[in-house]
Amino acid sequence: MNPEQISIKDFSYLLPHERIAQFPLPIRDASKLLIYNEGSITEDTYSNLDHYLPPESILIFNDTKVVQARLFFQNSKGEQIEIFCLEPAHKNDLVLSMASCGKVQWRCLVGKVAKWKEKNIFCSSTLISIEAEIISRTVDTFLIEFRWNPETYSFAEVLQNAGVMPIPPYLKRTTEEIDTQRYQTVYAREEGSVAAPTAGLHFTTEVFEKLALKNIHPIYVTLHVGAGTFKPVKAPIMSEHEMHSEIIDVPITTIQRIVSSIGKPIVAVGTTSLRTIETFYWLGVKILTNQDSNNDFLELKQWEPYQLSATSINAKDALEALINWLENKKTTRLICTTSLLIVPGYKLKIADALLTNFHQPESTLMLLVATVMGNDWKTVYQYALENNFRFLSYGDGSLLFANK
């Protein structure tokens, strides 16, 4: 079947609101874990994850850090206007933008924009005073310039001091103190996401220590998760859905480590990690087929893998081509964007298994899960519903071995 003709209605299930976890459990690794392997289903908790992974497995983690991207401003009448920072004006300048002092431009969502009648609106915290000005607008977003005092603060520090953690909109509650720590993985370090890579929320130091005893070690990649991860699929067929673009930023040494790990079981922790390593493969294919070899900036669009799918290039050759391209450009980091949409019919190129939470019906994440296990996703999700698993970002998770 043509992947562009897939109907999103085929990936629906009834999710009662009371099954959506509103808050995290007191202990991260106490979350339930469903294990799916070759059609069989068992359950345990994340604290025993090491029991279910082969020795010397490689776990790929997304070490992005959620920034406190919601800012609350006031107009001259004291009416509140919310600004949600999505991404810098120039996507490939995220690190530079977060380090900028005095002023910066970001693309944003604006709540209650009708109240924004003056040129500038203002926000202040204990340490910082901020003003915002609309530079331009598109159908969905606004390009906003932020200026602040003292100018010595970086934009990262501005968000840290004046911003609010952007918990998922489907929770339909205000951000609380617990979210500041728990809507963040314990290994988060690269600031830039506006949503957490939630599959990693269950990991603790103790889990990592138990994995190390089986010679199971992590590799960290960085994909900055955008608000588009919550974007509903409104189109009846996928050809009419525009997949959101996200920034990947990894050192060349990380890609080299993945190349050296090929042949061992590779487990992607979260859908963002999976999309990242699969993007590496397709960027290498584009280079080998002379589609991107002369460009200075790499990107992967949502349908490109399906147009290239006849290729017989293996994962090692593709990743080595990507490494060679970076070396020829005399750069030590890969900074690129991906809009990769993984739907049934796609064949995983690098990952052998996926650790992930339970996702919203009729979402691109459900399509990805169905890609990993085929139609068995229906059985797995029905099992989870019948056995009191908690759903979505703060919910329980699953270890899904790919159906080959």
Side-chain angles (χ1 to χ4, degrees):
M1 179 181 180
N2 182 348
E4 296 185 35
Q5 297 304 309
I6 287 175
S7 170
I8 195 61
K9 295 295 183 185
D10 293 337
F11 300 88
S12 183
Y13 68 94
L14 180 61
L15 176 59
H17 181 73
E18 61 269 18
R19 303 308 300 277
I20 300 173
Q22 292 295 308
F23 291 92
L25 293 180
I27 301 173
R28 289 177 183 263
D29 59 19
S31 297
K32 293 176 69 173
L33 176 67
L34 181 150
I35 303 95
Y36 168 87
N37 197 350
E38 297 182 353
S40 69
I41 298 172
T42 53
E43 62 175 272
D44 204 326
T45 63
Y46 270 82
S47 60
N48 294 321
L49 173 63
D50 59 299
H51 297 179
Y52 303 97
L53 294 175
E56 299 191 357
S57 295
I58 301 296
L59 294 183
I60 309 290
F61 292 89
N62 183 3
D63 66 0
T64 188
K65 189 172 185 178
V66 184
V67 295
Q68 297 185 176
R70 297 171 67 200
L71 293 164
F72 291 92
F73 286 75
Q74 288 187 336
N75 62 17
S76 59
K77 296 180 179 178
E79 297 171 314
Q80 191 174 80
I81 299 168
E82 179 183 348
I83 299 179
F84 190 154
C85 300
L86 297 177
E87 62 191 24
H90 302 287
K91 273 195 170 187
N92 55 335
D93 286 342
L94 178 62
V95 174
L96 184 63
S97 180
M98 294 297 286
S100 295
C101 295
K103 69 176 182 179
V104 74
Q105 291 187 358
W106 272 60
R107 195 153 297 283
C108 306
L109 300 175
V110 179
K112 299 182 180 177
V113 70
K115 299 182 185 296
W116 194 334
K117 300 185 186 301
E118 306 100 332
K119 181 179 179 181
N120 299 330
I121 56 175
F122 296 89
C123 169
S124 61
S125 69
T126 306
L127 300 175
I128 301 172
S129 176
I130 317 162
E131 63 177 308
E133 177 185 351
I134 294 175
I135 304 301
S136 62
R137 65 185 299 173
T138 63
V139 174
D140 298 321
T141 64
F142 296 81
L143 181 63
I144 293 176
E145 181 168 289
F146 298 100
R147 298 181 290 272
W148 59 89
N149 281 300
E151 295 182 355
T152 52
Y153 283 94
S154 68
F155 190 58
E157 292 170 317
V158 169
L159 294 178
Q160 183 65 36
N161 281 281
V164 175
M165 183 67 76
I167 60 173
Y170 53 68
L171 293 181
K172 297 180 180 178
R173 64 173 175 83
T174 58
T175 300
E176 299 189 17
E177 182 62 30
I178 190 174
D179 299 309
T180 304
Q181 290 191 339
R182 294 300 301 278
Y183 194 59
Q184 200 83 269
T185 63
V186 298
Y187 50 83
R189 62 185 175 196
E190 302 294 340
E191 291 185 320
S193 281
V194 299
T198 55
L201 296 180
H202 311 286
F203 281 80
T204 61
T205 300
E206 291 75 18
V207 171
F208 280 114
E209 289 172 349
K210 291 170 75 173
L211 291 170
L213 292 175
K214 290 186 68 173
N215 203 22
I216 298 172
H217 298 292
I219 293 178
Y220 296 99
V221 298
T222 305
L223 178 145
H224 293 301
V225 188
T229 192
F230 301 118
K231 182 180 179 181
V233 179
K234 295 181 179 179
I237 58 174
M238 294 312 297
S239 63
E240 299 172 14
H241 177 75
E242 182 180 355
M243 187 67 173
H244 56 286
S245 175
E246 293 170 315
I247 303 166
I248 293 173
D249 182 353
V250 296
I252 191 171
T253 52
T254 294
I255 305 172
Q256 291 168 335
R257 284 192 64 197
I258 295 173
V259 170
S260 65
S261 301
I262 291 174
K264 298 177 180 179
I266 295 179
V267 181
V269 180
T271 57
T272 60
S273 297
L274 180 64
R275 290 177 63 237
T276 299
I277 59 177
E278 295 293 308
T279 292
F280 293 161
Y281 171 83
W282 291 108
L283 292 179
V285 169
K286 290 178 70 176
I287 291 166
L288 287 172
T289 55
N290 297 314
Q291 297 195 38
D292 258 359
S293 56
N294 296 321
N295 293 346
D296 289 325
F297 184 76
L298 299 178
E299 64 176 336
L300 184 67
K301 298 177 181 176
Q302 69 183 62
W303 296 117
E304 283 186 303
Y306 304 92
Q307 296 155 3
L308 296 164
S309 60
T311 180
S312 58
I313 297 170
N314 64 43
K316 185 172 183 290
D317 288 345
L319 267 60
E320 287 182 343
L322 180 57
I323 291 167
N324 291 336
W325 183 89
L326 292 168
E327 291 175 338
N328 290 336
K329 296 291 182 181
K330 295 182 169 51
T331 181
T332 60
R333 303 190 71 82
L334 170 66
I335 299 175
C336 65
T337 59
T338 184
S339 302
L340 174 59
L341 176 61
I342 296 178
V343 302
Y346 180 94
K347 302 298 182 185
L348 296 178
K349 301 299 183 180
I350 297 178
D352 299 296
L354 172 67
L355 257 170
T356 190
N357 286 17
F358 294 96
H359 301 293
Q360 287 181 299
E362 297 186 21
S363 65
T364 57
L365 302 180
M366 278 306 314
L367 292 170
L368 190 154
V369 167
T371 301
V372 174
M373 69 175 91
N375 281 332
D376 281 357
W377 75 264
K378 299 176 183 178
T379 304
V380 165
Y381 271 62
Q382 189 61 36
Y383 180 97
L385 286 167
E386 292 175 355
N387 288 274
N388 298 314
F389 279 74
R390 303 160 75 244
F391 279 62
L392 307 188
S393 293
Y394 275 145
D396 300 312
S398 57
L399 171 60
L400 310 174
F401 289 91
N403 281 336
K404 299 297 184 180

